[in-house]
Amino acid sequence: WSPKQIANPNYEEGVQLAAYDTAMLGFELWIVNNGTIFDNILVTDDIEYAKAQGEKLWRPVAKAEKEVKEQWDKENKPADEDVGSGMDEEDFEEEEEEEEKDEL
């Protein structure tokens, strides 16, 4: 069995069936680390615009936060943690760059 097909002179191919004009958006955030802050939330479908805004808004904040964290870690590092992890400074920088790319 198949339904009867009736010609529809008003039918337009490719027309969007529904669109909603809304001013609200909800997020469900699962925070693993204490002190995590979310700000500058951008919702867009333009990847290049998102990247540009990330460089403009996120990158400077991330660099400043990193510097403050490194300074705090240096000042608050226990004396018995002087033993290295086997990674040199270049390895840490490469790892951090990868993490920053993932965050964008």
Side-chain angles (χ1 to χ4, degrees), residues 12 25-26 33 48 70 86 90 104:
E12 294 179 37
L25 179 67
N33 298 328
E48 294 307 317
E70 288 173 351
E90 187 175 303
L104 281 178

Side-chain angles (χ1 to χ4, degrees), residues 33-76:
N33 298 328
N34 189 19
T36 302
I37 299 171
F38 292 89
D39 64 352
N40 294 328
I41 295 172
L42 173 66
V43 178
T44 182
D45 62 352
D46 185 338
I47 190 70
E48 294 307 317
Y49 179 75
K51 288 179 181 179
Q53 291 302 303
E55 289 298 322
K56 177 181 168 187
L57 301 171
W58 174 82
R59 177 94 43 211
V61 172
K63 286 182 180 179
E65 287 176 347
K66 179 182 172 188
E67 291 170 3
V68 170
K69 169 99 170 62
E70 288 173 351
Q71 182 65 32
W72 187 91
D73 288 345
K74 183 178 177 183
E75 292 171 0
N76 295 288

